[in-house]
Amino acid sequence: MKHLLVIIALVAGLIKDDAPAGLYACKNVRITLYSSAPLEDIEAESNAGKSVFNPATGELAFNVAIRSFKFPKSLMQEHFNENYMESDKYPQASFRGKINEKIDVNANGSFPVTVSGVLDVHGVKQNRTVKGTVNVNNGSVSMSSEFMVRCADHNIEIPKLVFKKIAETIKMTVSATYSPLNNQAK
């Protein structure tokens, strides 16, 4: 399992072959999406996101497999993967950025932050700045954020036939609880 997290961190570019001390990782990031539309609300959730956080530099990376999102209705899930997200062609979504504020992971508290970086969804990379919260409690670090993603910004086409079923903007909620990378092998 530690090797998987190191590979994720290497892919994200946050660590090199000689992983520095002080990196944090989360292997079960919870990501939800919500679309409110006149005919039907659409919700999905994934608990399979991966993330690496370097508190020394503020660098942060997230990655999630599109097919890991689960819907209450199997037909919704099928349409999401095949018709909208084209999961075979674009199997992953990612974010790589930096927390703009300095976070001391040794000081307990709840800290509002902004994160600037690149959101890569459906093969389209877009610069984003999102607000979030970092909570530190006795060495435990958790992060959460809620932000909107416009389908058109990532070339996700909504056929006119179903435009009343799917909103043009999707609410994303992300939450992760991190532990030091060197503790995850235990």
Side-chain angles (χ1 to χ4, degrees), residues 52-116:
V52 177
F53 170 52
N54 183 340
T57 65
E59 291 175 292
L60 184 63
F62 287 89
N63 190 0
V64 65
I66 299 301
R67 288 196 178 274
S68 70
F69 283 95
K70 302 301 178 205
F71 290 74
K73 297 178 181 177
S74 61
L75 189 57
M76 281 184 182
Q77 189 162 330
E78 182 181 327
H79 285 257
F80 173 79
N81 283 298
E82 293 177 12
N83 300 338
Y84 302 108
M85 296 302 292
E86 301 175 276
S87 300
D88 290 338
K89 188 174 182 180
Y90 307 107
Q92 304 285 321
S94 65
F95 178 84
R96 182 175 172 195
K98 186 172 182 176
I99 296 176
N100 297 317
E101 299 77 13
K102 178 72 176 150
I103 300 298
D104 181 355
V105 294
N106 297 309
N108 288 346
S110 180
F111 309 99
V113 296
T114 55
V115 182
S116 298

Side-chain angles (χ1 to χ4, degrees), residues 2-185:
K2 182 177 179 182
H3 294 296
L4 173 64
L5 293 170
V6 170
I7 289 170
I8 291 166
L10 286 169
V11 168
L14 294 180
I15 62 173
K16 307 299 181 232
D17 292 333
D18 54 337
L23 289 181
Y24 285 72
C26 178
K27 60 184 176 181
N28 57 351
V29 177
R30 181 175 187 262
I31 303 170
T32 64
L33 60 87
Y34 178 77
S35 164
S36 180
L39 294 181
E40 187 171 27
D41 292 342
I42 297 172
E43 298 179 73
E45 175 180 339
S46 171
N47 289 302
K50 311 285 186 243
S51 181
V52 177
F53 170 52
N54 183 340
T57 65
E59 291 175 292
L60 184 63
F62 287 89
N63 190 0
V64 65
I66 299 301
R67 288 196 178 274
S68 70
F69 283 95
K70 302 301 178 205
F71 290 74
K73 297 178 181 177
S74 61
L75 189 57
M76 281 184 182
Q77 189 162 330
E78 182 181 327
H79 285 257
F80 173 79
N81 283 298
E82 293 177 12
N83 300 338
Y84 302 108
M85 296 302 292
E86 301 175 276
S87 300
D88 290 338
K89 188 174 182 180
Y90 307 107
Q92 304 285 321
S94 65
F95 178 84
R96 182 175 172 195
K98 186 172 182 176
I99 296 176
N100 297 317
E101 299 77 13
K102 178 72 176 150
I103 300 298
D104 181 355
V105 294
N106 297 309
N108 288 346
S110 180
F111 309 99
V113 296
T114 55
V115 182
S116 298
V118 176
L119 178 64
D120 186 350
V121 176
H122 198 246
V124 177
K125 295 179 181 180
Q126 184 187 60
N127 290 324
R128 296 293 304 260
T129 298
V130 297
K131 294 180 180 182
T133 303
V134 175
N135 291 299
V136 180
N137 186 11
N138 298 324
S140 175
V141 177
S142 62
M143 295 184 196
S144 60
S145 180
E146 184 176 292
F147 56 95
M148 304 300 284
V149 175
R150 285 179 23 102
C151 295
D153 289 347
H154 294 278
N155 294 335
I156 300 168
E157 294 182 21
I158 301 171
K160 299 237 185 278
L161 193 62
V162 295
F163 78 96
K164 288 189 177 190
K165 287 188 176 184
I166 300 172
E168 293 179 29
T169 304
I170 309 296
K171 180 171 79 171
M172 304 298 300
T173 305
V174 178
S175 59
T177 300
Y178 295 83
S179 57
L181 186 60
N182 57 357
N183 287 353
Q184 295 203 5

